[in-house]
Amino acid sequence: MDRTHHRHVRSRLRPRGRPSEGMERMNDGEGAAGSVVRDLINGAMRFSVLYAFVRVSGPQALADGELTSDEVAKRCQCDPPLMRRMLRALESYRIVSGSSGSRYRLSPAGRLLIPGTVGSLRAGVLLNGSAPWREAAAGLADKLLTGPPTPTGSDDSPYQRIHRDPELAAAFNGYMTTLSTPVSMALAARDHEGVGTVVDLGGGQGMTLAAILRRHPHVRGVLVERPSVAEDATRHLADQGLTDRCEVIAGDMFTTTCPPAQRVILASVLHNWSDDACAAILRQARSALVAGGPAAELWCVEDLLPSSQRGTGRGDFDLDMRMAVMFPQGGERTKDEYQDLLSRAGLRTTAVHPIPDSTRSLMIARMASE
Ligand SMILES: C[S@@+](CC[C@H](N)C(=O)[O-])C[C@H]1O[C@@H](n2cnc3c(N)ncnc32)[C@H](O)[C@@H]1O
């Protein structure tokens, strides 16, 4: 019997419908394994479509109701045939929905792209589509080969670059404000009995501090921020009528001496920094807490990485990768890693609470007994 005959017999013995090993390999590009990779490949294009739609103010054009694609194109001063194709793609991403006669309206997800709506993610799209953000992501392979640059101090922070570009700064601050809305609500809802002063280090535009001060009229607030953001925070707190209970310090949280405080908030701050830089920030926080009395607490808000790879979801490490390219000194940490960091700064974690409607958690820490 020759070898051709053997192959023929083997293939006849194979159960029907089950491909050979070679066939499985060949089909990978079309099967489940292939779709995992294709989904990642096409994610970049899908984001570009979303970004372009937001960039030309497509969501605003559709904010008041249904329009044909030509009407959307006219309002956005865009090329009608391309807008038709864009809307078709956006419908498949569930950003718009089409109805009879090819009229389109925004889906609930699409409505989140209108500026000023509660929970608007428009700034997040503009930030992630901005040239510095895209270039940083494109540079990941180089970073992988060279490793992170050597830090030379807080002055070479990416925040320098962000705040030099007003459009980028507006997108960054806007996105941070959206993400901090559920955090503000959760922190303001906590008990503030016996709290005289709350210090918010790197407190952004003052959303969280304003929410706390509004809800607890006996509390005073101090916010420490870089000068350009401090200006926005001052305006925001004034708009809320909180100026007389709040001080905004335009300064460096690494060096600013904070007043005694019963609460110090560090919300999405530590993840931007190395362990050594975090230790310096935590030293400032701790001295305010020591002066604030034995019941004083650090409220540290961060996304927590899963502690083991088992059961992790798609996207659990997206923010960590974003940090790797934009904030090479920083990175996301697990709960244990944060507890370690706090403990090395003389702070004992007493509770960890997931924040509703947010990916972040609140870690509460008190001074560890000497
Ligand atoms: C990721 S944002 C978080 C903002 C805010 N805490 C929130 O939860 O939305 C980090 C903030 O730290 C501020 N920051 C960075 N370096 C700083 C420094 N050296 N001194 C004071 N603030 C700083 C940034 O301007 C930015 O607003």
Side-chain angles (χ1 to χ4, degrees):
M1 236 184 285
D2 67 13
R3 298 176 69 197
T4 325
H5 177 77
H6 270 301
R7 265 206 305 274
H8 183 64
V9 171
R10 264 208 309 270
S11 74
R12 268 194 299 156
L13 290 175
R14 201 179 304 126
R16 284 176 78 206
R18 205 171 122 218
S20 70
E21 264 178 50
M23 283 279 284
E24 270 167 13
R25 266 201 300 276
M26 214 173 73
N27 280 342
D28 268 355
E30 299 301 319
S35 80
V36 169
V37 181
R38 275 185 286 113
D39 184 54
L40 292 168
I41 294 171
N42 294 331
M45 191 64 238
R46 286 198 289 267
F47 179 73
S48 295
V49 174
L50 183 70
Y51 175 71
F53 184 58
V54 168
R55 191 74 222 203
V56 301
S57 304
Q60 290 94 311
L62 282 165
D64 297 329
E66 288 188 354
L67 294 176
T68 64
S69 68
D70 283 356
E71 287 166 338
V72 178
K74 192 164 175 214
R75 286 199 186 182
C76 299
Q77 299 177 312
C78 289
D79 179 54
L82 187 50
M83 181 56 88
R84 210 167 303 141
R85 291 164 68 188
M86 286 267 300
L87 286 166
R88 208 167 53 182
L90 286 161
E91 184 176 5
S92 76
Y93 310 157
R94 297 191 290 160
I95 293 298
V96 297
S97 51
S99 60
S100 54
S102 17
R103 294 176 74 79
Y104 290 95
R105 74 179 105 81
L106 290 172
S107 68
R111 296 203 76 77
L112 290 177
L113 301 171
I114 301 173
T117 48
V118 178
S120 174
L121 291 168
R122 176 175 179 271
V125 175
L126 292 176
L127 178 67
N128 280 276
S130 68
W133 246 243
R134 276 185 288 117
E135 281 157 18
L140 180 57
D142 290 340
K143 283 217 167 67
L144 203 52
L145 294 169
T146 59
T150 316
T152 57
S154 82
D155 270 356
D156 66 351
S157 128
Y159 283 107
Q160 298 276 54
R161 257 177 302 147
I162 293 169
H163 293 135
R164 263 199 302 269
D165 175 344
E167 206 177 315
L168 183 64
F172 182 85
N173 294 333
Y175 192 33
M176 291 309 111
T177 297
T178 297
L179 296 180
S180 71
T181 303
V183 174
S184 315
M185 285 162 59
L187 266 50
R190 296 189 70 80
D191 186 10
H192 281 70
E193 182 138 359
V195 174
T197 301
V198 174
V199 169
D200 194 352
L201 288 178
Q205 296 188 306
M207 281 282 289
T208 301
L209 200 55
I212 291 174
L213 297 190
R214 271 199 315 267
R215 183 129 176 200
H216 305 280
H218 64 283
V219 173
R220 297 186 61 79
V222 176
L223 183 137
V224 182
E225 252 299 345
R226 300 177 68 88
S228 59
V229 187
E231 267 176 42
D232 290 348
T234 305
R235 241 190 328 271
H236 179 65
L237 290 156
D239 288 349
Q240 309 270 317
L242 296 167
T243 307
D244 56 342
R245 281 197 287 133
C246 193
E247 183 189 358
V248 176
I249 301 178
D252 187 349
M253 66 187 163
F254 286 88
T255 51
T256 299
T257 306
C258 302
Q262 288 69 46
R263 299 283 180 271
V264 173
I265 298 172
L266 279 170
S268 303
V269 167
L270 297 183
H271 76 152
N272 289 154
W273 303 99
S274 66
D275 284 5
D276 286 348
C278 287
I281 298 169
L282 288 167
R283 262 196 301 279
Q284 299 298 98
R286 192 176 191 280
S287 56
L289 293 170
V290 168
E297 290 178 346
L298 174 74
W299 286 2
C300 178
V301 175
E302 293 291 349
D303 282 87
L304 301 180
L305 281 184
S307 47
S308 85
Q309 196 73 25
R310 270 216 319 275
T312 53
R314 183 175 183 260
D316 277 355
F317 298 94
D318 288 353
L319 186 58
D320 188 48
M321 289 292 93
R322 173 51 67 195
M323 286 297 132
V325 296
M326 273 317 286
F327 294 88
Q329 279 205 54
E332 302 308 310
R333 297 176 173 91
T334 63
K335 182 175 77 173
D336 289 349
E337 286 167 342
Y338 275 114
Q339 287 186 2
D340 236 39
L341 201 59
L342 299 184
S343 144
R344 275 182 271 136
L347 294 156
R348 179 176 51 89
T349 307
T350 56
V352 180
H353 304 285
I355 294 176
D357 301 321
S358 168
T359 55
R360 300 175 181 170
S361 294
L362 166 65
M363 292 168 275
I364 299 180
R366 288 191 171 199
M367 266 88 64
S369 35
E370 305 290 330

